[in-house]
């Protein structure tokens, strides 16, 4: 022991202690920096996962995530059955085009919220792309349950959107496919649900279709149908049927809607909702439509000549006819040849046509309207509806879609919706026709609500011309007020 060594030792220990302290401090800093870097890396990894698996706009899982879920939970031989619903918004493009992308985005978010709000255990909601959403569920795997689930979704989505006078009605077309066994890949289930959804869109939208194998064969069938349609005019296989339009206040028949029928030689009749989309997609509707306009004008004149002087005829016109055909000339020629007064011809068009920027639709309508022809908007409320937009066109009549009339007695909200449409249409000076009137009760209620005319099975189904004339009694009694 030496006191001089003690000083050295203390010095040495002190230096060592300070060094250790500094080192430990550095380590601590290093560790905390490491922790914070780790947390950041983890957060960005989670963010990357979220971005890769979710849709940024609605926050819903995306298709990639849905496929992963299907592979993890439904692809094994013993996995529970499941159903894939594909929900496509009708005419969503027109919402974006007419009301802007910001409004369009908020609509998509609302739809995502509505679907998520319906989530139950075993149910997975995702966004497939653009205006198409998906729902995968193990809760509805029988055709009946699937149909009920689809109906619930359809109703929820079709509730009015927006607020105040800027409310819009947006419907959807739903397709579904059921995973029957382990041989179903996600790709197959998705393709089948997609075919079913397109089928729903083609059969007039706002409906649900469950996939069945005949749907794939229909795609092939439509190619051969197009070839048959081409020859159908020359072979006189088309015929026009007439459905009366009744003035609700008086019960008088004011006119009729001409509805096309196709009776292919040696085969069963084909429904218009099957062959018209084919005729539209091939452009053949221009030629077929020309025949319809001419025939409708001639038959209307014939009815007038039998004594019903003010009788008017309504003809359905496809958007394709406005875009591709020489509609103005065709209509004027048909009036000239038949001798029908232009005030007795009404053309029915769909609302989505009025949202087209090209083809001078507004001009075509106003030029024809200036000559006395009137226009009505068919299937109002189906797809995308905006009453405000109608006022910009020379449109005189609004035809409320039959789905509203059918649903009117389901809930007080549905009845209130019809009432609101009638009120707003009246404020715009439009006449209102209700379609799909099947009961006296519906006819009475619609009359009380202020609807001007009705059309539906309650009075008559569409009839061949001779049966129609018999039904109305035109020519037998000396009056245009007919049985109703
Ligand atoms: P739309 O113009 O909405 O015609 C009304 C449809 O509802 C008709 O079906 C009619 O038969 C049916 N209907 C009428 N009253 C009732 C009812 O009380 N209950 C029910 N459940 N249905 C009723 P249809 O004749 O099968 O025509 C289907 C669609 O085909 C028409 O729907 C229209 O969009 C199209 N279409 C028919 N003829 C023509 C045409 O000449 N040209 C064009 N472009 N499309 C046409
Ligand atoms: Ca119509
Ligand atoms: Ca209609």
């Amino acid at each position: 022991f030496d006191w001089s060594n003690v000083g050295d030792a203390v010095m040495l220990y002190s230096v060592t202690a300070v060094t250790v302290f500094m080192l430990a401090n550095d380590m601590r800093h290093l560790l905390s920096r490491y922790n914070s870097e780790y947390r950041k890396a983890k957060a960005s990894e989670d963010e990357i996962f979220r971005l890769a698996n979710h849709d940024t706009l609605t926050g819903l899982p995306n298709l990639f995530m849905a496929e992963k879920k299907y592979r993890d939970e439904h692809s094994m031989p013993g996995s529970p059955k499941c159903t894939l619903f594909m929900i496509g918004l009708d005419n969503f493009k027109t919402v974006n085009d007419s009301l802007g992308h910001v409004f369009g985005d908020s609509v998509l978010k609302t739809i995502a919220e509505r679907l998520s709000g319906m989530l139950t255990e075993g149910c997975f909601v995702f966004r497939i792309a653009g205006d198409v959403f998906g729902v995968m569920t193990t809760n509805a795997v029988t055709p009946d349950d699937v149909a009920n689930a689809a109906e619930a979704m359809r109703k929820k989505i079709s509730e009015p959107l927006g607020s105040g006078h800027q409310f819009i009605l947006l419907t959807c077309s739903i397709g579904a496919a059921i995973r029957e066994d382990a041989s179903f890949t996600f790709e197959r289930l998705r393709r089948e649900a997609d075919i079913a959804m397109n089928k729903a869109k083609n059969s007039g939208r706002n409906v649900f279709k469950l996939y069945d194998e005949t749907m794939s064969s229909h795609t092939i069938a439509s190619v051969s149908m197009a070839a048959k349609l081409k020859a159908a005019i020359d072979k006189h296989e088309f015929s026009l049927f007439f459905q009366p339009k009744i003035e609700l206040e008086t019960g008088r028949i004011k006119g009729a809607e001409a509805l096309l029928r196709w009776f292919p030689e040696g085969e069963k009749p084909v429904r218009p909702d099957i062959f018209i989309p084919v005729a539209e997609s091939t452009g053949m509707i221009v030629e077929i439509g020309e025949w319809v306009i001419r025939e409708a004008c001639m038959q209307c004149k014939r009815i007038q000549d039998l004594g019903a002087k003010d009788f008017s005829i309504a003809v359905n016109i496809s958007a394709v006819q406005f875009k591709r055909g020489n509609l103005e000339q065709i209509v004027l020629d048909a009036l000239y040849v038949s001798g029908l007064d232009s005030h007795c011809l009404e053309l029915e068009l769909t609302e989505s046509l009025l949202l087209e920027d090209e083809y001078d639709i507004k001009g075509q309508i106003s030029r024809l309207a200036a000559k006395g022809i009137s226009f009505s908007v068919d299937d109002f409320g189906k797809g995308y509806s905006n009453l405000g937009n109608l006022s910009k066109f020379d449109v005189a009549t609004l035809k409320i879609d039959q789905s509203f009339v059918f649903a009117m007695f389901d809930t007080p909200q549905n009845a209130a919706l019809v009432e609101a449409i009638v009120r707003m249409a009246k404020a715009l000076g439009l006449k209102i026709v209700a379609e799909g009137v099947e009961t006296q009760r519906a006819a009475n209620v619609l009359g009380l609500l202020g609807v001007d005319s009705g059309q539906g099975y309650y009075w008559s189904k569409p009839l061949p011309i001779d049966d129609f004339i018999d039904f109305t009694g035109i020519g037998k009694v000396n009056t245009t007020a007919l049985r109703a």
Side-chain angles (χ1 to χ4, degrees):
F1 183 77
D2 183 341
W3 282 109
S4 66
N5 287 348
V6 172
D8 289 347
V10 168
M11 183 77 98
L12 197 68
Y13 281 132
S14 307
V15 168
T16 311
V18 168
T19 311
V20 167
F21 174 76
M22 282 166 69
L23 269 173
N25 213 20
D26 274 359
M27 285 289 278
R28 224 182 36 243
H29 275 118
L30 218 65
L31 212 68
S32 92
R33 263 209 6 231
Y34 168 77
N35 275 337
S36 111
E37 287 300 321
Y38 174 77
R39 273 197 301 274
K40 273 195 211 152
K42 182 83 181 72
S44 31
E45 192 185 305
D46 289 350
E47 182 63 8
I48 289 168
F49 178 83
R50 201 185 62 74
L51 286 175
N53 294 282
H54 288 78
D55 160 52
T56 38
L57 178 70
T58 60
L60 287 179
N62 61 14
L63 188 63
F64 177 75
M65 181 87 160
E67 183 166 8
K68 182 173 178 311
K69 184 164 173 75
Y70 183 86
R71 259 189 280 116
D72 293 347
E73 294 175 22
H74 303 291
S75 59
M76 300 301 157
S79 325
K81 267 189 168 188
C82 77
T83 300
L84 176 64
F85 292 90
M86 215 177 253
I87 304 150
L89 304 180
D90 296 331
N91 300 330
F92 181 69
K93 185 179 168 295
T94 52
V95 175
N96 264 338
D97 291 350
S98 60
L99 298 173
H101 287 263
V102 175
F103 187 83
D105 283 354
S106 79
V107 167
L108 290 172
K109 282 189 213 160
T110 308
I111 301 295
E113 279 161 21
R114 286 184 184 177
L115 283 171
S116 304
M118 299 178 80
L119 267 183
T120 52
E121 211 184 321
C123 204
F124 182 79
V125 178
F126 57 105
R127 183 172 173 206
I128 296 179
D131 55 1
V132 183
F133 293 84
V135 173
M136 202 153 56
T137 179
T138 50
N139 298 336
V141 289
T142 63
D144 280 350
D145 289 350
V146 171
N148 290 338
E151 184 54 19
M153 288 189 252
R154 203 184 59 73
K155 275 197 175 145
K156 186 80 201 161
I157 290 177
S158 314
E159 283 172 13
L161 285 152
S163 58
H165 69 286
Q166 183 57 297
F167 87 83
I168 65 162
L169 300 168
L170 188 70
T171 57
C172 63
S173 302
I174 306 183
I178 303 172
R179 170 203 178 274
E180 296 293 349
D181 55 50
S183 72
F184 277 63
T185 58
F186 183 73
E187 202 37 56
R188 174 174 171 187
L189 200 63
R190 195 185 137 198
R191 184 169 46 80
E192 293 186 353
D194 195 28
I195 291 175
M197 183 185 78
N198 280 318
K199 180 92 186 148
K201 291 225 180 237
N202 287 337
S203 46
R205 302 170 198 263
N206 195 21
V207 283
F208 159 70
K209 295 278 174 196
L210 178 60
Y211 176 82
D212 70 62
E213 269 149 26
T214 60
M215 287 185 183
S216 299
S217 52
H218 273 158
T219 320
I220 302 161
S222 66
V223 177
S224 67
M225 184 187 288
K228 287 182 194 154
L229 271 174
K230 224 172 165 41
I233 295 187
D234 293 337
K235 288 162 85 181
H236 303 288
E237 291 176 347
F238 288 121
S239 170
L240 275 192
F241 277 34
F242 298 82
Q243 187 176 38
K245 280 186 174 176
I246 314 290
E247 188 176 56
L248 293 179
E249 207 182 330
T250 59
R252 285 161 55 111
I253 301 180
K254 300 286 289 174
E257 177 175 2
L259 292 154
L260 185 58
R261 295 289 178 267
W262 181 27
F263 300 95
E265 202 183 318
E267 288 176 46
K268 280 195 291 185
V270 185
R271 291 208 323 264
D273 52 339
I274 306 280
F275 73 80
I276 283 182
V278 178
E280 284 174 338
S281 64
T282 53
M284 263 180 286
I285 194 72
V286 174
E287 205 185 327
I288 299 172
E290 182 175 351
W291 178 85
V292 171
I293 296 169
R294 267 192 282 120
E295 182 72 9
C297 289
M298 257 153 51
Q299 298 296 1
C300 182
K301 181 74 173 103
R302 181 178 156 201
I303 293 170
Q304 290 184 348
D305 289 346
L306 286 171
K309 297 274 177 278
D310 297 331
F311 195 87
S312 68
I313 192 78
V315 179
N316 291 285
I317 305 288
S318 286
V320 185
Q321 289 169 267
F322 274 94
K323 292 177 191 173
R324 286 212 233 155
N326 182 7
L327 188 67
E328 286 172 70
Q329 200 52 50
I330 290 169
V331 169
L332 298 177
D333 285 352
L335 289 170
Y336 178 74
V337 172
S338 61
L340 185 73
D341 187 310
S342 59
H343 294 92
C344 302
L345 177 64
E346 177 175 313
L347 302 182
E348 295 193 3
L349 42 85
T350 50
E351 201 186 357
S352 53
L353 182 76
L354 305 181
L355 299 155
E356 291 277 356
D357 290 335
E358 295 169 73
Y359 310 106
D360 189 25
I361 306 292
K362 198 168 188 286
Q364 291 190 54
I365 293 176
S366 59
R367 283 190 295 276
L368 285 169
K371 297 222 159 68
I373 295 134
S374 58
F375 286 86
S376 61
V377 170
D378 206 355
D379 304 336
F380 186 82
K382 199 168 166 184
Y384 153 75
S385 301
N386 183 348
L387 270 169
N389 189 48
L390 294 188
S391 54
K392 300 184 204 140
F393 294 84
D394 287 307
V395 165
T397 309
L398 197 87
K399 293 188 82 175
I400 304 181
D401 188 54
Q402 48 196 34
S403 56
F404 285 96
V405 178
F406 296 154
M408 206 168 51
F409 298 112
D410 286 357
T411 60
Q413 287 95 321
N414 287 347
L417 196 55
V418 175
E419 200 179 342
I421 294 174
V422 174
R423 203 167 351 98
M424 285 197 266
K426 291 254 162 203
L428 291 170
L430 297 166
K431 286 243 171 274
I432 302 151
V433 178
E435 297 185 307
V437 182
E438 296 188 345
T439 59
Q440 184 169 22
R441 185 176 173 215
N444 290 344
V445 171
L446 289 163
L448 288 174
L449 287 179
V451 172
D452 299 286
S453 311
Q455 207 183 316
Y457 295 171
Y458 169 58
W459 295 284
S460 169
K461 289 194 169 188
L463 298 168
I465 185 68
D466 292 334
D467 295 353
F468 180 79
I469 290 172
D470 270 356
F471 169 82
T472 56
I474 297 167
K476 291 187 190 131
V477 286
N478 187 22
T479 172
T480 52
L482 305 148
R483 8 186 264 260

